Amino acid sequence: MKGLQTDYGIAADGIVGPETLKVLNLGPGDRARALAVALERRRWLERTPPATRIDVNTAASQLRYYRDGVLVDQRKVIVGEPGRETPALSSPIYRLVANPTWTVPKSIQNGEMANVDDAYLQEHNMVLRDGWIVQQPGPSNALGLVKFDMANDQAIYLHDTSAPGLFDRSQRHLSHGCVRVEDAIGFAQMLADDQGVTEAWQTAQASGEMQFVPLPRRIPVRLLYENVYVGDAGKVAFRTDPYGWNDPVAEQLGFERSAARRAEARDIDIGP
């Protein structure tokens, strides 16, 4: 039972709870369908990906870092909740941002934060600037202590978090679309060391203010959606279809729609 739960990204407690029961109700046809969709998605990818890259599997909430074709690091991530899905895209990291500020998007400012008062802003280290709510640098910042700036037009990036306890969850589709990285400070240090900008990064960190550290070589990032993939020790791992993105592909391949479980995110915070 624990092996099955591990395969599907459920807390491996050996207890047949609601989440596990939904997976137990899946049949061989559901798995064959998932495999077919996964193979079709792989067919869309370039045959020879960059040897040094970061792959984020949003279906499994997992990050893998490859250096010169070798997997050197993997860690948990938190990705977009259903309705605010992290998009599938390729976009490079071009700089590290130490002690970032967070300019609250208008969608959040006019939504979840529409009725906040001055006391709330002060408590959360936020100020109003030209009509925008801006959270100042610090450990309570929603971006945490490091942001990995990426070159894309969708305002999607990797970052730290002020709520690291959420990484303990088996279901980590909880954000507004950006990717929160487990131990992001350690990951930033690894990238800085690999890029030869260790001293610049550590100086920026120690300043306590927002500082930018350009990377000499951009690092390609692929945001992938793979709910069937090759996991540790070469074993095929299954996850559910958290965004429901498999249905359109499966139907084009001749399969019927599936009743497989999707992510059921719970509102946790208002971070990106």
Side-chain angles (χ1 to χ4, degrees):
M1 182 59 63
K2 290 183 178 179
L4 175 74
Q5 291 171 324
T6 298
D7 281 349
Y8 278 88
I10 301 171
D13 55 12
I15 299 173
V16 182
E19 301 299 302
T20 302
L21 185 60
K22 291 176 184 177
V23 170
L24 286 172
N25 286 333
L26 297 175
D30 294 299
R31 293 178 177 83
R33 176 184 185 274
L35 280 166
V37 171
L39 289 171
E40 175 66 11
R41 282 206 170 92
R42 287 186 67 86
R43 191 175 67 83
W44 301 345
L45 299 176
E46 56 188 320
R47 292 296 182 265
T48 306
T52 296
R53 67 185 187 278
I54 295 168
D55 284 348
V56 175
N57 183 350
T58 57
S61 302
Q62 181 186 69
L63 176 151
R64 290 179 171 180
Y65 173 40
Y66 296 85
R67 185 195 304 128
D68 297 327
V70 178
L71 177 64
V72 294
D73 187 72
Q74 57 183 334
R75 56 191 68 215
K76 299 175 184 177
V77 295
I78 292 169
V79 296
E81 66 180 1
R84 298 186 176 97
E85 296 90 349
T86 300
L89 56 80
S90 295
S91 173
I93 293 173
Y94 66 94
R95 68 182 179 187
L96 305 177
V97 184
N99 310 304
T101 62
W102 178 43
T103 300
V104 179
K106 287 296 184 182
S107 59
I108 296 178
Q109 184 171 331
N110 297 329
E112 295 98 316
M113 298 182 65
N115 298 313
V116 301
D117 55 17
D118 290 341
Y120 178 94
L121 296 180
Q122 185 174 0
E123 179 184 355
H124 291 83
N125 197 23
M126 293 175 169
V127 295
L128 271 174
R129 290 181 183 166
D130 300 323
W132 293 82
I133 295 176
V134 179
Q135 190 173 37
Q136 301 301 300
S140 64
N141 188 287
L143 299 183
L145 296 175
V146 59
K147 175 185 176 186
F148 305 81
D149 263 345
M150 295 167 59
N152 62 73
D153 59 3
Q154 299 189 50
I156 295 296
Y157 47 85
L158 277 57
H159 64 90
D160 189 14
T161 178
S162 58
L166 297 181
F167 289 110
D168 294 333
R169 288 172 166 250
S170 58
Q171 197 287 96
R172 296 188 298 278
H173 296 82
L174 303 166
S175 80
H176 278 72
C178 286
V179 179
R180 308 177 191 179
V181 180
E182 183 181 33
D183 183 23
I185 290 295
F187 190 54
Q189 185 67 59
M190 180 183 298
L191 298 186
D193 292 344
D194 287 351
Q195 294 268 329
V197 293
T198 302
E199 184 176 352
W201 166 244
Q202 292 178 344
T203 299
Q205 262 192 293
S207 72
E209 299 179 355
M210 185 164 66
Q211 300 284 338
F212 303 98
V213 180
L215 298 181
R217 300 173 301 282
R218 292 187 171 199
I219 304 175
V221 178
R222 303 192 303 176
L223 302 182
L224 308 171
Y225 188 77
E226 298 178 326
N227 70 317
V228 182
Y229 60 98
V230 178
D232 296 335
K235 181 181 178 182
V236 175
F238 286 83
R239 295 294 184 270
T240 52
D241 181 12
Y243 292 160
W245 284 357
N246 279 6
D247 283 342
V249 180
E251 288 175 8
Q252 290 297 314
L253 294 175
F255 291 90
E256 295 181 356
R257 296 182 68 85
S258 171
R261 180 177 69 91
R262 299 183 184 181
E264 299 174 1
R266 301 290 185 269
D267 290 334
I268 302 295
D269 55 40
I270 58 172

